[in-house]
Amino acid sequence: MKPATSKPENATDIEWFYLKLSFVFVSLPLTGIMVFGGSGCPFPTGICKLYSFAPLFTPIGKPILVSVFVLLCVFYLFEIRMLLATFFLFLLSCIIISHHESNGIFYRATILTTLWGVQFLAYLRLRLNPDFDVRHFRVHYGIQIIAATYALAGIAKLRASGIDWINAGDFFSIQVIKNYAYLYFDTGSETTWQEGKTIAYFLLNHHEIIRFFLAVALMLEVFCLAATLGANMRYVFGIGLLFMHIGIAFIMGIGISVIAKPMIVFFFNPLYQSRRFIIFVNNKIRFFH
Amino acid sequence: MIKYNEQNISVGLCYVILSLIIGECHPFSLVDMYNRFPEKACTFYLTDTKGKLLPIENYYHYKTGDLTHNYNAICKSKNITGDNHTLTSEQLHNIGEIMMSQLGQRCFSKPLANTIQLHQIYFFLKNDSIQSNDIIMYEACNE
């Protein structure tokens, strides 16, 4: 198996480059926000229980940390020293997110670290075994870890509430009103607050709608590991999860979860698909001329 | 064509198993958001002494959801459980003081109020309608 090179030589490498570009687009801004959003380490969690990494988060340390992260992303994009790049991206992401959560704030961005981690794993396996199919597994490991995260969400619901989770009924409306209250207290928007109350009271009087959507969401999550079994399953689950996130964002007023963006990148690679579409249209136009 | 074998799922399965064993310790996570729907839900907001809402995003690099997470983290660090019915005024006051201190570190524009009040509000169901219970946890002078 020919090892991965730094220049796109075939469709797979081009596809991979667009996936990496999309993932950097998704992860870099959020990582930057978490670097500058934290202050101190009042509630140590994760790796910060061992060491606070305070020097990295000083007024001087923060810009240096972000600069190093950006530099590593450039290495990653251009397939330079991938083993080291993905390792240090994984390590820095672990530190940054742990430090941010140690402030008592939870963006639920664990998926970013694990995605760096499995890509490091793929290149490590290539280093240990030159015949390892890194072109396939550097993407597929990402799909697996995303599917695993959704599966964990489904398992958590079954462990806490059993199948009765889908019969949330009235208490679901409490969560809806709470989330729209968040938006109202953040922005002062009366319109948003009234919208939230309307949705909450509508759901209070239509338990069957809640039951249906919760059942679909639970099935998508619990069986998500099936998305690793091929492109068709991946698209089915991807579309289902996308609609789930849109539904959650609208009904519960909590926006699109952090995991949705890497899911879209690894399940669909939309930037690459857009490029293919543009090339297709260009070819058609040239043909008719 | 890639053959379906144990490699297609092994990394994902390993992560699931390790997360279930290790629990909530980054980069492992139980992903337990909304795993249950409790009878009550609480959140926090700021007002001046006349009760006028001070939208958090107008003054702080922070969101109401972050305040709620912060409250839970403080309660956990102090081994405190309960809500504004079971916590004492002193406990709520102490928690509120810590919350306002941490919020102050993220201030980019001072609210135009001499005193800022931190409220805790609980939503619950009663008589087929959604009710709320609101208390002032802490008052901070806006210096």
Side-chain angles (χ1 to χ4, degrees):
Chain A
M1 181 77 204
K2 196 175 164 192
T5 63
S6 59
K7 290 181 188 172
E9 290 181 336
N10 55 37
T12 310
D13 282 344
I14 294 169
E15 203 173 341
W16 171 233
F17 176 77
Y18 278 100
L19 189 150
K20 285 189 291 183
L21 188 63
S22 305
F23 182 53
V24 168
F25 257 142
V26 160
S27 59
L28 192 53
L30 186 57
T31 305
I33 289 170
M34 286 190 282
V35 168
F36 288 101
S39 127
C41 211
F43 313 108
T45 183
I47 200 171
C48 289
K49 278 187 182 174
L50 300 173
Y51 177 57
S52 68
F53 298 97
L56 293 178
F57 296 94
T58 57
I60 295 172
K62 285 180 182 181
I64 295 174
L65 181 58
V66 171
S67 301
V68 169
F69 199 90
V70 169
L71 184 65
L72 287 169
C73 284
V74 172
F75 277 33
Y76 167 73
L77 275 175
F78 293 101
E79 207 76 12
I80 301 168
R81 299 282 203 182
M82 282 299 274
L83 189 62
L84 283 176
T86 51
F87 173 73
F88 282 110
L89 283 164
F90 165 72
L91 184 64
L92 287 183
S93 181
C94 199
I95 292 169
I96 290 165
I97 295 176
S98 296
H99 186 268
H100 192 249
E101 291 185 354
S102 299
N103 280 263
I105 309 168
F106 294 93
Y107 280 8
R108 309 290 183 183
T110 304
I111 190 65
L112 299 182
T113 302
T114 53
L115 279 169
W116 292 123
V118 294
Q119 289 177 82
F120 164 67
L121 180 65
Y123 281 91
L124 180 64
R125 290 193 72 177
L126 177 66
R127 173 63 65 91
L128 297 173
N129 174 15
D131 291 330
F132 180 69
D133 187 4
V134 72
R135 277 196 174 82
H136 169 70
F137 285 105
R138 61 193 176 190
V139 177
H140 201 266
Y141 281 172
I143 295 168
Q144 284 190 46
I145 210 74
I146 291 169
T149 305
Y150 280 107
L152 278 165
I155 292 168
K157 292 170 175 76
L158 289 175
R159 285 173 86 190
S161 311
I163 198 68
D164 231 22
W165 183 81
I166 68 171
N167 294 318
D170 297 340
F171 302 135
F172 185 82
S173 300
I174 300 291
Q175 296 300 314
V176 172
I177 204 97
K178 178 202 76 176
N179 292 327
Y180 274 92
Y182 281 4
L183 294 173
Y184 173 57
F185 296 143
D186 280 342
T187 62
S189 168
E190 284 283 350
T191 311
T192 305
W193 182 226
Q194 292 307 321
E195 199 178 286
K197 285 200 280 191
T198 304
I199 294 172
Y201 274 100
F202 175 81
L203 292 172
L204 202 57
N205 295 315
H206 294 89
H207 288 182
E208 64 283 357
I209 293 179
I210 301 175
R211 192 177 297 119
F212 173 74
F213 282 117
L214 292 183
V216 170
L218 186 62
M219 272 175 37
L220 281 170
E221 287 182 341
V222 168
F223 296 111
C224 200
L225 280 169
T228 64
L229 297 178
N232 291 337
M233 290 298 275
R234 191 170 78 241
Y235 290 139
V236 166
F237 274 89
I239 291 168
L241 290 167
L242 185 59
F243 278 113
M244 180 186 83
H245 283 295
I246 292 170
I248 289 170
F250 172 68
I251 293 173
M252 295 192 76
I254 57 174
I256 302 286
S257 303
V258 170
I259 190 175
K261 294 166 196 171
M263 183 276 290
I264 291 167
V265 168
F266 276 82
F267 278 38
F268 297 109
N269 200 352
L271 210 55
Y272 175 70
Q273 302 303 343
S274 304
R275 178 185 180 274
R276 282 181 71 197
F277 179 72
I278 291 168
I279 291 171
F280 171 78
V281 169
N282 269 343
N283 288 341
K284 287 291 177 193
I285 291 170
R286 270 190 220 149
F287 176 79
F288 284 114
H289 279 283
Chain B
M1 183 180 161
I2 303 295
K3 284 186 186 172
Y4 298 141
N5 58 31
E6 67 282 356
Q7 287 199 72
N8 287 336
I9 211 162
S10 56
V11 166
L13 264 181
C14 278
Y15 181 72
V16 169
I17 292 166
L18 284 172
S19 291
L20 290 172
I21 294 169
I22 294 169
E24 204 66 43
C25 181
H26 190 77
F28 300 98
S29 174
L30 292 172
V31 200
D32 57 359
M33 299 82 77
Y34 295 104
N35 62 345
R36 52 168 63 94
F37 296 104
E39 294 173 5
K40 293 183 282 193
C42 96
T43 184
F44 304 86
Y45 65 98
L46 303 177
T47 66
D48 58 17
T49 49
K50 292 176 186 169
K52 185 186 169 198
L53 179 71
L54 300 173
I56 286 177
E57 281 184 358
N58 288 2
Y59 308 104
Y60 305 95
H61 290 298
Y62 221 53
K63 287 184 181 289
T64 309
D66 298 331
L67 268 179
T68 308
H69 285 139
N70 203 7
Y71 170 80
N72 292 331
I74 296 168
C75 287
K76 191 178 172 186
S77 71
K78 292 180 177 297
N79 293 319
I80 294 172
T81 55
D83 55 37
N84 59 11
H85 294 293
T86 54
L87 267 62
T88 64
S89 304
E90 192 182 344
Q91 281 176 316
L92 283 169
H93 179 90
N94 291 340
I95 296 169
E97 188 176 15
I98 298 170
M99 288 170 71
M100 286 304 294
S101 164
Q102 292 183 353
L103 188 62
Q105 293 170 15
R106 293 166 174 85
C107 180
F108 64 85
S109 173
K110 268 200 172 166
L112 293 173
N114 292 328
T115 305
I116 300 170
Q117 293 177 336
L118 173 66
H119 296 247
Q120 182 184 50
I121 179 169
Y122 266 90
F123 297 101
F124 54 92
L125 277 173
K126 192 175 179 184
N127 302 326
D128 292 332
S129 72
I130 300 170
Q131 313 266 338
S132 62
N133 175 31
D134 186 326
I135 61 158
I136 297 171
M137 282 175 74
Y138 183 76
E139 277 194 8
C141 287
N142 192 20
E143 291 168 2

